[in-house]
Amino acid sequence: MDPKLKKTKNSSSNSANSPDSTHSSFPFPDEVLERVLSFLHSHKDRSSVSLVCKDWYNAERWTRTKLFIGNCYSVSPEIVARRFPRIKSVTLKGKPRFSDFNLVPQHWGADVHSWLVVFAKVYPFLEELRLKRMTLNDESLKFLATSFPGFKALSLLSCEGFSTDGLKAIATHCKNLTELDIQENGMDDLGGGWLSCFSENCSSLEVLNFASLNSEVSFDALEKLVRRCKSLRILKVNKSITLDQLQQLLVLAPQLIELGTGSFQQELTPLQYEGLGIAFSNCKNLQTLSGFWEDTSLHLPVLYAACPSLTFLNLSYATLRSGELAKIVAHSPNIRRLWVLDTVGDKGLEAVGSSCPFLEELRVFPADPFEQDLHHGVTEAGFLAVSHGCRKLHYVLYFCRQMTNAAVATIVQNCPDFTHFRLCIMNPGERDYLTNEPMDEAFGAVVKTCTNLQRLALSGLLTDLTFEYIGKYAKNLEALSVAFAGSSDGGMQCVLQGCPKLRKLEIRDCPFGNAALLSGIEKYETMRSLWMSACNVTMSACKLLAKEMPRLNVEVMRDEGSDESQADKVYIYRTVAGPRRDAPPFVVTL
Amino acid sequence: MENTFLGCGGGISGGISTVLREENNMAMSSEESSSYPDEAELELGLGLSLGGGGAKSKSKPPLPAVAAAGPWGQYARILTAKDFHSVVSTKESSSSSSSSSVTKTNNNPSCGVKRTAEPSSPPGRSGSSQVVGWPPIRTYRIQSLVNHAKSPMTEEITSALDKCKSNNTIVDKTNIGSNLNRNVAKEKGLLKKPSLFVKVNMDGIPIGRKVDLNAHRCYKTLSQTLDEMFKLSAAVGATRSNAEEQVVMTKPSRLMNVSSEFVLAYEDKEGDWMLVGDVPWEYVPSTSHYIFLTDSAPLWLVYVLAKSIKFIVFSSLF
């Protein structure tokens, strides 16, 4: 619990010779309690506070300004509006995570518009909107831009349905915009003209991220924007910005904390090269570097001056080789987070292990995810090397083509503090390539050793033993992602019965059936959601579950041409809003 | 033509056992309408292509796909120029888009790669055996990789992407099985990387050869190999990028007979005949049909079936 809260509670008891704490009404006016609670920011803390008693519930709801909704269908806009009168910032997440990988059909839902309509009525002073996996169209963006005069921050991650025309509306109408963060969305890029829609008076931008848009923007407009926005701290440009343009921007904004480069490929004259190096070295506050589209090895040395202060280096779009990475990390001893492509190979990761002792997070993405050739990418050796050198590692996302149980066991011995362990052996059902055994012992070692594990993603050939281990040891596990694993219902049952903190469970292509599904019947209300696709679940079990648990939405999507009784895709989530009213025809709510 | 086949360099090696598997798959995979078996079936062994159906069975396949009628009959089927014409004209009449007949291949304006899988295309049709949504990488990142290096995986990725987008209700259980099969194959120490062995038959010769398309990185080496096998000389249209730049003709790779030239053409999924020089080599193993033909005497026609890639070489086209 928040220590501040504890302290104030105690001090209030002392100072007032307070009545005993079992007294239901608090001896202080609501205003005091509200003042105290206004220091609470974490939504989890606030949820706890709201459960204490009715007074606290009320005080909390009046003081909450930030809304976090992890599943947009778990609650309705009307319910939210009734409970929280003073919201300034909203974070909404929509589709199940597997929609990122095309497992959820188009037009599934998670449209933000109905939320915006309610917000416009109830929260006219809304300032921030952060959406993840939501659907929104240009009309919604225009509505957003024109309905909230004080709107400041828009962040869209993995959303879809809109285009750069919507961004035009935002740029045009939001006079006080401080943040525009557009990341990896399924959007239509109709051109870069939106950037020119920022008015000449707009000087409040602090965050501008358009790295994932490809169209050319007017450099003139961008340059002027950067020039007048003195508070700009995060700037991530797209590929259309050349190196010498980048240099000009850096000269204008040496205060940047996060920079996303544009195209790194331009041929530079020695003078330009020098100028760029100087520009980078003048950015004394730079902590994050990203971008690096295309083959960038040519000009990497210009970065070296900025590297010592870096804490996050995102090279996951740069096809660097081991030598190039080695040079960069040699200059970046303070790196905490590193994202790379597997083109760097095991050798590159060895260099990371020896150069980055403070590394906490490593993500290695595959450059050729559909290539079968084993000679590409990274292996267990690279992961081992990093674990030897980077003992503080606690977050890993690792795509590889081969792994051994022994390697993983050693890795977690070296780094027992893993909170997020996401290992993706890219061939489904791949065995330990040395012993030919399943990968059960690897994940067993992870859950046994890493007691703080919150998030786990499995891969490789796995039997029920893995799930027994998880159920037995992973007591802090909150999110589990399973694919092509398990031997029987028992596996899933172990997890459902053994992991008390489990909130998100996503399963695909596993032999778990009705018994497994129904074994968790009591658990699903304590979780945010369960996704099961391509398993052995039937409609009858889903119907039973829906009947027994009215506060769950049990949604089934069937594949074309499959058996009537099969529930091909099942999405189950707790909700206080009842069955959703915007479900498309292919989603059946039971 | 020269009956120098038997004297060609390079032994015929490999076991026969895997050929059987391939044969069954060829029979299956020849049906255009059904979903294609995936790459598991492409682990073809190198083997003697013994013409079980008779060396000179001149059955006429109206469509390349249908050519794979019986399990063993394909080996020694020999197409004549007439067959080719009928193939082409059939394809032309049956395909909706403008297809190129052989005479037009060199200047067909529609030459190009049409790689987007139609929404209705069956799930297994893309080049590699894609499991929907696996490995779990966001679409945005995959597309960046595609644009990034104009990588050889472009076609497979985009077709996989399109397939995923349009067919995401279809779960490729077959692919899972095949992936596991591949792992089984790996465990047994068989091929680590799928080889795309293609049978090559030459007109007038009962015993065919095999060529591993995946062992070749470009048309040149393939033509050289075939050259050695069949004592041909070949000129292959230069590869050109997706950006559709100028086609540049390369010089003949080998010289047996100066006047003997051949070009590669193929029949794509839509039934159009396309000049294959437009397509970077990397697309070759994953595209549907191939025809390898010469435009002067002697004329070799190499005929390849999708997924169970089979070459049929014959001569005297025009």
mmCIF file of all heavy atoms in Angstrom, chain B residues 65-82:
data_model
loop_
_atom_site.group_PDB
_atom_site.id
_atom_site.type_symbol
_atom_site.label_atom_id
_atom_site.label_comp_id
_atom_site.label_asym_id
_atom_site.label_seq_id
_atom_site.Cartn_x
_atom_site.Cartn_y
_atom_site.Cartn_z
ATOM 1 N N ALA B 65 -1.527 -28.262 -63.844
ATOM 2 C CA ALA B 65 -1.840 -28.863 -62.553
ATOM 3 C C ALA B 65 -2.359 -30.261 -62.741
ATOM 4 O O ALA B 65 -2.037 -31.164 -61.996
ATOM 5 C CB ALA B 65 -2.873 -28.009 -61.834
ATOM 6 N N VAL B 66 -3.156 -30.389 -63.735
ATOM 7 C CA VAL B 66 -3.779 -31.693 -63.927
ATOM 8 C C VAL B 66 -2.781 -32.692 -64.475
ATOM 9 O O VAL B 66 -3.014 -33.875 -64.500
ATOM 10 C CB VAL B 66 -4.983 -31.553 -64.874
ATOM 11 C CG1 VAL B 66 -5.662 -32.871 -65.094
ATOM 12 C CG2 VAL B 66 -5.962 -30.541 -64.292
ATOM 13 N N ALA B 67 -1.661 -32.178 -64.904
ATOM 14 C CA ALA B 67 -0.668 -33.076 -65.479
ATOM 15 C C ALA B 67 -0.287 -34.157 -64.507
ATOM 16 O O ALA B 67 0.090 -35.241 -64.880
ATOM 17 C CB ALA B 67 0.569 -32.275 -65.905
ATOM 18 N N ALA B 68 -0.366 -33.824 -63.261
ATOM 19 C CA ALA B 68 0.008 -34.836 -62.281
ATOM 20 C C ALA B 68 -1.161 -35.748 -62.043
ATOM 21 O O ALA B 68 -1.803 -35.710 -61.021
ATOM 22 C CB ALA B 68 0.421 -34.145 -60.989
ATOM 23 N N ALA B 69 -1.426 -36.550 -63.014
ATOM 24 C CA ALA B 69 -2.610 -37.393 -62.907
ATOM 25 C C ALA B 69 -2.397 -38.528 -61.928
ATOM 26 O O ALA B 69 -2.929 -38.562 -60.852
ATOM 27 C CB ALA B 69 -2.981 -37.935 -64.280
ATOM 28 N N GLY B 70 -1.578 -39.464 -62.314
ATOM 29 C CA GLY B 70 -1.363 -40.590 -61.430
ATOM 30 C C GLY B 70 -0.024 -40.457 -60.751
ATOM 31 O O GLY B 70 0.795 -39.625 -61.121
ATOM 32 N N PRO B 71 0.190 -41.259 -59.784
ATOM 33 C CA PRO B 71 1.413 -41.116 -58.976
ATOM 34 C C PRO B 71 2.687 -41.255 -59.795
ATOM 35 O O PRO B 71 3.607 -40.479 -59.609
ATOM 36 C CB PRO B 71 1.326 -42.251 -57.958
ATOM 37 C CG PRO B 71 -0.066 -42.741 -58.006
ATOM 38 C CD PRO B 71 -0.677 -42.316 -59.283
ATOM 39 N N TRP B 72 2.708 -42.183 -60.660
ATOM 40 C CA TRP B 72 3.969 -42.388 -61.361
ATOM 41 C C TRP B 72 3.938 -41.906 -62.797
ATOM 42 O O TRP B 72 4.943 -41.869 -63.458
ATOM 43 C CB TRP B 72 4.324 -43.880 -61.346
ATOM 44 C CG TRP B 72 4.711 -44.292 -59.977
ATOM 45 C CD1 TRP B 72 3.897 -44.794 -59.014
ATOM 46 C CD2 TRP B 72 6.007 -44.193 -59.401
ATOM 47 N NE1 TRP B 72 4.605 -45.026 -57.867
ATOM 48 C CE2 TRP B 72 5.907 -44.685 -58.074
ATOM 49 C CE3 TRP B 72 7.251 -43.766 -59.870
ATOM 50 C CZ2 TRP B 72 6.992 -44.728 -57.220
ATOM 51 C CZ3 TRP B 72 8.338 -43.830 -59.016
ATOM 52 C CH2 TRP B 72 8.204 -44.299 -57.702
ATOM 53 N N GLY B 73 2.758 -41.588 -63.228
ATOM 54 C CA GLY B 73 2.668 -41.253 -64.644
ATOM 55 C C GLY B 73 3.379 -39.977 -65.001
ATOM 56 O O GLY B 73 3.770 -39.748 -66.121
ATOM 57 N N GLN B 74 3.559 -39.119 -64.013
ATOM 58 C CA GLN B 74 4.115 -37.826 -64.346
ATOM 59 C C GLN B 74 5.560 -37.911 -64.754
ATOM 60 O O GLN B 74 6.061 -37.074 -65.471
ATOM 61 C CB GLN B 74 4.030 -36.907 -63.144
ATOM 62 C CG GLN B 74 2.637 -36.759 -62.632
ATOM 63 C CD GLN B 74 2.692 -36.237 -61.241
ATOM 64 O OE1 GLN B 74 3.267 -35.191 -61.014
ATOM 65 N NE2 GLN B 74 2.134 -36.955 -60.304
ATOM 66 N N TYR B 75 6.204 -38.860 -64.200
ATOM 67 C CA TYR B 75 7.644 -38.868 -64.391
ATOM 68 C C TYR B 75 8.041 -38.725 -65.829
ATOM 69 O O TYR B 75 8.915 -37.978 -66.188
ATOM 70 C CB TYR B 75 8.215 -40.187 -63.864
ATOM 71 C CG TYR B 75 8.596 -40.059 -62.439
ATOM 72 C CD1 TYR B 75 8.218 -41.003 -61.504
ATOM 73 C CD2 TYR B 75 9.336 -38.972 -62.006
ATOM 74 C CE1 TYR B 75 8.571 -40.876 -60.200
ATOM 75 C CE2 TYR B 75 9.690 -38.841 -60.702
ATOM 76 C CZ TYR B 75 9.311 -39.791 -59.797
ATOM 77 O OH TYR B 75 9.656 -39.656 -58.506
ATOM 78 N N ALA B 76 7.385 -39.522 -66.627
ATOM 79 C CA ALA B 76 7.912 -39.593 -67.980
ATOM 80 C C ALA B 76 6.982 -38.937 -68.968
ATOM 81 O O ALA B 76 7.091 -39.160 -70.148
ATOM 82 C CB ALA B 76 8.150 -41.046 -68.359
ATOM 83 N N ARG B 77 6.099 -38.142 -68.451
ATOM 84 C CA ARG B 77 5.199 -37.522 -69.406
ATOM 85 C C ARG B 77 5.952 -36.523 -70.242
ATOM 86 O O ARG B 77 6.779 -35.751 -69.754
ATOM 87 C CB ARG B 77 4.092 -36.796 -68.657
ATOM 88 C CG ARG B 77 3.060 -36.202 -69.580
ATOM 89 C CD ARG B 77 2.094 -35.339 -68.822
ATOM 90 N NE ARG B 77 1.784 -35.909 -67.526
ATOM 91 C CZ ARG B 77 0.938 -36.876 -67.322
ATOM 92 N NH1 ARG B 77 0.278 -37.382 -68.342
ATOM 93 N NH2 ARG B 77 0.719 -37.354 -66.116
ATOM 94 N N ILE B 78 5.662 -36.552 -71.451
ATOM 95 C CA ILE B 78 6.370 -35.632 -72.326
ATOM 96 C C ILE B 78 5.361 -34.783 -73.051
ATOM 97 O O ILE B 78 4.435 -35.270 -73.662
ATOM 98 C CB ILE B 78 7.232 -36.407 -73.335
ATOM 99 C CG1 ILE B 78 8.295 -37.173 -72.536
ATOM 100 C CG2 ILE B 78 7.883 -35.461 -74.322
ATOM 101 C CD1 ILE B 78 9.191 -38.013 -73.326
ATOM 102 N N LEU B 79 5.551 -33.558 -72.953
ATOM 103 C CA LEU B 79 4.638 -32.641 -73.626
ATOM 104 C C LEU B 79 5.236 -32.209 -74.945
ATOM 105 O O LEU B 79 6.420 -31.980 -75.059
ATOM 106 C CB LEU B 79 4.409 -31.404 -72.769
ATOM 107 C CG LEU B 79 3.764 -31.635 -71.419
ATOM 108 C CD1 LEU B 79 3.657 -30.320 -70.684
ATOM 109 C CD2 LEU B 79 2.398 -32.242 -71.586
ATOM 110 N N THR B 80 4.405 -32.123 -75.868
ATOM 111 C CA THR B 80 4.860 -31.584 -77.143
ATOM 112 C C THR B 80 4.459 -30.141 -77.228
ATOM 113 O O THR B 80 3.787 -29.604 -76.351
ATOM 114 C CB THR B 80 4.209 -32.359 -78.304
ATOM 115 O OG1 THR B 80 2.796 -32.131 -78.215
ATOM 116 C CG2 THR B 80 4.481 -33.833 -78.181
ATOM 117 N N ALA B 81 4.892 -29.552 -78.274
ATOM 118 C CA ALA B 81 4.550 -28.150 -78.472
ATOM 119 C C ALA B 81 3.053 -27.975 -78.474
ATOM 120 O O ALA B 81 2.522 -27.002 -77.963
ATOM 121 C CB ALA B 81 5.153 -27.663 -79.783
ATOM 122 N N LYS B 82 2.386 -28.907 -79.025
ATOM 123 C CA LYS B 82 0.929 -28.822 -79.061
ATOM 124 C C LYS B 82 0.374 -28.780 -77.657
ATOM 125 O O LYS B 82 -0.533 -28.030 -77.348
ATOM 126 C CB LYS B 82 0.369 -30.045 -79.798
ATOM 127 C CG LYS B 82 -0.051 -29.741 -81.215
ATOM 128 C CD LYS B 82 -0.782 -30.884 -81.857
ATOM 129 C CE LYS B 82 0.165 -32.021 -82.137
ATOM 130 N NZ LYS B 82 -0.478 -33.131 -82.881
#
